[in-house]
Amino acid sequence: MFVLDAVFFQQGRTGIARQWQRTLAAWAGGAFSRDLVVVDRGGTCPRLPGITYVDAPRYRLTHADDDRAFLQATCDDANAGWFLSTYYTTPVSTPSVFVCYDMIPEVLRFDLTQPIWREKARAIQAARAFITISHNSAVDLLWFHPHLGRCPGLVAPCGTDFAPAAPEAVAEFRRDHGLDRPYLLTSGMRGDYKNALLLFRSLAHLGSLREQIAIVCAGGRAALEPELAALAGGTPVRLVRLDAAALQAAYTGAAALVYPSLYEGFGLPPLEALACGTPVIATPAPAVVEVCGDAAIARRRCRGRHARLGEQRVFDRRERPDHAHRPRRAELLSESGTSSPILRPAALCTGPAVRDPRPRRPDRPHPLRAPQTQSRHLGRPGARAEVHTSGRQRRRRTLAV
């Protein structure tokens, strides 16, 4: 018997929440649903037939100890052999499966004394098995917590059911947001390691073309950051919040998704864009390279006069690479995610351990770890916009253009 804490749905219908909804739907249609109890936090979890739910109050960090006692009581009532949380909650004693989406706080030196990261550390220490959403995340998890190398571990990549939107849906999206010209799309938060500053700085290299395009920012803050607004100049910028259907229309209608992130645990927006047949321009963060393969335009240099992406290439059909295979790339990853052992949780009890192939040197930092002075200022003026890597890591991360 498994108890799953669906606490992640408290954060709204984010990309990871969509992944869990797909996973629950797959479980609901199989025999495993008879051995599954889902903890629904404040009615935020989608209810699917065939799955048993337990109502619970919304999670509060300030009451973490009481929450652990509640989860343990739930596990005891269900006679559960395993507990799996969608976001860092733990019971008192039932064996736990840790789900790792990324190691961003550890790699980029966030303040790990913050309550949420203390709960993450507690969950890692309590784990008897683990799941990561990319091989790169597994490698990074084991870099910081090598004791997990003795535990069963699975890499379960994200998938997507996105597909190119109908022309009518794209036209409606353009009409709703006043888009009468080609546009570049960026998704998610814009600050820190997400590095949207690189996109806006790149506008200076487009010449007169910048007056003929727009930028659409899906998600992030409700107001455009002043520094980005100054760099945008005469280029129109639309800030939008979209449901899944509208997001598919936004991907399909875009000239390209621009994803300049410096570090990711997976990189779901590039996968969704590829599924919609949209070109992807990205910096070669390892997990993004893992997701996109060669189905993206990647830029290696990110500083000074080289601070430009490949936007102009997506507007010039003579230079635009043939990416007819990009929907197939997304399809292959989605098939991998759907057939992943995460849908057969009993495999966690006997599955092989995931090994970190990188040699460890206790006296050396993680290859991608930013200096302390960069921890919260990546992509800002005066800060270096490249994470530090060894020559070997740079070669591995580079994607041929």
Side-chain angles (χ1 to χ4, degrees):
M1 183 66 74
F2 270 74
V3 170
L4 172 74
D5 187 356
V7 64
F8 202 98
F9 287 101
Q10 280 190 201
Q11 303 188 34
R13 294 296 187 261
T14 63
I16 292 297
R18 291 197 297 272
Q19 295 301 306
W20 277 111
Q21 187 162 358
R22 292 178 71 248
T23 300
L24 287 172
W27 283 343
F32 175 63
S33 62
R34 295 193 294 268
D35 296 321
L36 177 66
V37 174
V38 175
V39 178
D40 182 0
R41 300 285 186 161
T44 58
C45 180
R47 297 284 181 130
L48 300 172
I51 292 180
T52 301
Y53 292 86
V54 172
D55 292 322
R58 295 175 71 93
Y59 178 72
R60 291 186 293 174
L61 274 170
T62 54
H63 294 72
D65 289 338
D66 293 339
D67 194 79
R68 273 187 284 276
F70 166 79
L71 291 176
Q72 185 58 53
T74 302
C75 290
D76 293 342
D77 290 344
N79 194 26
W82 287 92
F83 172 84
L84 190 153
S85 175
T86 57
Y87 202 66
Y88 308 155
T89 55
T90 54
V92 176
S93 58
T94 300
S96 295
V97 179
F98 176 70
V99 180
C100 177
Y101 305 115
D102 60 65
M103 297 298 287
I104 290 170
E106 293 82 359
V107 171
L108 300 184
R109 291 183 180 270
F110 287 13
D111 180 4
L112 300 183
T113 64
Q114 294 295 316
I116 185 60
W117 307 133
R118 290 204 304 267
E119 289 303 303
K120 180 181 181 181
R122 183 191 292 268
I124 291 173
Q125 291 303 315
R128 304 284 185 84
F130 66 91
I131 298 169
T132 69
I133 60 175
S134 69
H135 176 75
N136 185 74
S137 289
V139 168
D140 287 347
L141 176 64
L142 294 175
W143 179 276
F144 289 101
H145 301 280
H147 71 278
L148 289 178
R150 300 187 294 271
C151 300
L154 299 173
V155 176
C158 298
T160 183
D161 52 8
F162 277 22
E168 297 79 10
V170 175
E172 181 181 0
F173 171 79
R174 285 180 166 277
R175 187 167 53 251
D176 289 347
H177 300 286
L179 293 166
D180 58 355
R181 62 190 72 191
Y183 65 88
L184 298 169
L185 178 68
T186 183
S187 180
M189 300 300 291
R190 297 182 288 274
D192 297 327
Y193 68 94
K194 290 295 188 179
N195 198 29
L197 182 64
L198 179 58
L199 165 60
F200 284 81
R201 282 180 173 170
S202 297
L203 294 174
H205 301 284
L206 293 181
S208 60
L209 184 60
R210 66 179 297 170
E211 307 296 332
Q212 306 169 34
I213 66 170
I215 295 176
V216 174
C217 300
R221 294 181 178 178
L224 187 64
E225 293 79 357
E227 182 182 7
L228 301 186
L231 290 169
T235 304
V237 179
R238 302 285 188 267
L239 306 181
V240 299
R241 294 190 177 277
L242 307 172
D243 60 19
L247 185 56
Q248 290 180 75
Y251 281 131
T252 305
L257 170 75
V258 180
Y259 202 69
S261 180
L262 296 175
Y263 178 86
E264 290 292 333
F266 183 80
L268 187 57
L271 176 64
E272 293 174 337
L274 293 176
C276 293
T278 302
V280 174
I281 305 170
T283 46
V288 177
V289 174
E290 184 179 337
V291 170
C292 294
D294 60 354
I297 302 171
R299 312 305 296 172
R300 187 191 315 182
R301 302 297 296 270
C302 303
R303 286 190 286 141
R305 61 188 180 88
H306 299 286
R308 66 184 70 184
L309 292 171
E311 295 93 331
Q312 192 153 0
R313 296 183 63 191
V314 302
F315 297 108
D316 189 338
R317 294 190 178 275
R318 295 170 302 174
E319 296 187 18
R320 186 169 176 168
D322 180 11
H323 287 309
H325 63 298
R326 57 181 173 261
R328 180 57 183 160
R329 173 71 183 179
E331 182 181 343
L332 289 171
L333 277 169
S334 296
E335 289 173 356
S336 174
T338 302
S339 62
S340 165
I342 193 174
L343 301 181
R344 294 176 277 111
L348 288 169
C349 304
T350 57
V354 175
R355 302 298 181 189
D356 183 350
R358 296 185 301 212
R360 286 184 54 79
R361 286 274 304 274
D363 58 326
R364 297 184 65 183
H366 181 278
L368 295 182
R369 195 163 189 172
Q372 184 71 44
T373 55
Q374 293 189 60
S375 60
R376 301 292 290 179
H377 302 283
L378 291 170
R380 296 180 182 174
R384 300 185 67 180
E386 287 184 333
V387 289
H388 294 263
T389 62
S390 66
R392 179 179 301 175
Q393 288 295 317
R394 280 196 296 271
R395 287 193 295 274
R396 193 180 73 167
R397 293 172 59 213
T398 300
L399 208 77
V401 178

